[in-house]
């Protein structure tokens, strides 16, 4: 996941990242951060070794879920891990920690995928090409 030029590893697949805000009923919000009405990012390939210099790494390129086409506000929303409704409600408390980790190519090598997730045609059950893959 690339947010504001920093690579993070999400705690779960992109389409399963849930809003961390507390609802009025004091439960954690169940809305996804990848809201159906908002446009998400897209998968790109970028060099694994961008931050590690000359180390030999298992793959040279890796798939990264890239949010750079989104507005600054939308990228902040992703980083704060909130759905669009709660991004607009700053008074709602967070019920959980955002589960981003700074991506480390050595520690997280099992999450390095040299290929983009397979793109499928719209309308099918696999409409979300990023399903199941942590970014
Ligand atoms: Zn929410």
């Amino acid at each position: 996941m690339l947010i504001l030029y920093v690579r993070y590893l999400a705690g779960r697949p992109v389409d399963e990242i849930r809003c961390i805000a507390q609802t009025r009923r004091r439960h954690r919000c169940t809305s996804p951060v990848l809201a159906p009405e908002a446009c998400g990012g897209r998968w790109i390939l970028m060099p694994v070794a961008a931050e590690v210099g000359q180390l030999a790494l298992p793959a040279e390129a890796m798939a990264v879920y890239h949010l750079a086409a989104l507005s600054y506000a939308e990228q902040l929303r992703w980083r704060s891990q909130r759905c669009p409704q709660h991004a607009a409600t700053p008074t709602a408390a967070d019920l959980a920690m955002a589960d981003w980790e700074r991506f480390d190519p050595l520690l997280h090598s099992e999450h390095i995928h040299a290929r983009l997730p397979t793109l499928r045609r719209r309308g099918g059950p696999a409409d979300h090409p990023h399903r199941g893959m942590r970014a």
Side-chain angles (χ1 to χ4, degrees):
M1 181 77 71
L2 187 71
I3 307 174
L4 300 169
Y5 305 104
V6 177
R7 278 194 287 183
Y8 296 94
L9 180 67
R12 39 190 48 246
V14 169
D15 54 315
E16 293 176 13
I17 299 172
R18 262 176 65 199
C19 175
I20 57 172
Q22 187 179 41
T23 64
R24 282 195 213 113
R25 293 193 201 96
R26 305 196 165 272
H27 297 300
R28 180 173 165 179
C29 174
T30 55
S31 301
V33 174
L34 179 64
E37 70 272 21
C39 49
R42 63 191 178 93
W43 289 96
I44 60 160
L45 290 175
M46 67 183 292
V48 173
E51 295 160 22
V52 265
Q54 302 299 317
L55 289 171
L57 288 160
E60 292 178 351
M62 63 180 284
V64 173
Y65 194 69
H66 186 45
L67 296 174
L70 305 188
S71 67
Y72 182 73
E74 272 289 278
Q75 294 194 52
L76 286 182
R77 178 174 80 74
W78 274 83
R79 200 172 59 180
S80 63
Q81 207 178 321
R82 284 176 170 239
C83 68
Q85 185 200 336
H86 284 114
T89 317
T91 50
D94 286 342
L95 259 198
M97 298 278 288
D99 51 8
W100 301 121
E101 269 181 90
R102 275 297 284 268
F103 177 76
D104 182 319
L106 299 177
L107 292 177
H108 301 139
S109 57
E110 71 193 275
H111 298 293
I112 294 177
H113 302 280
R115 288 199 198 161
L116 298 175
T118 314
L119 293 169
R120 305 273 166 83
R121 293 196 184 282
R122 292 203 145 265
D127 195 20
H128 275 294
H130 17 62
R131 177 150 291 148
M133 210 163 120
R134 282 170 67 175

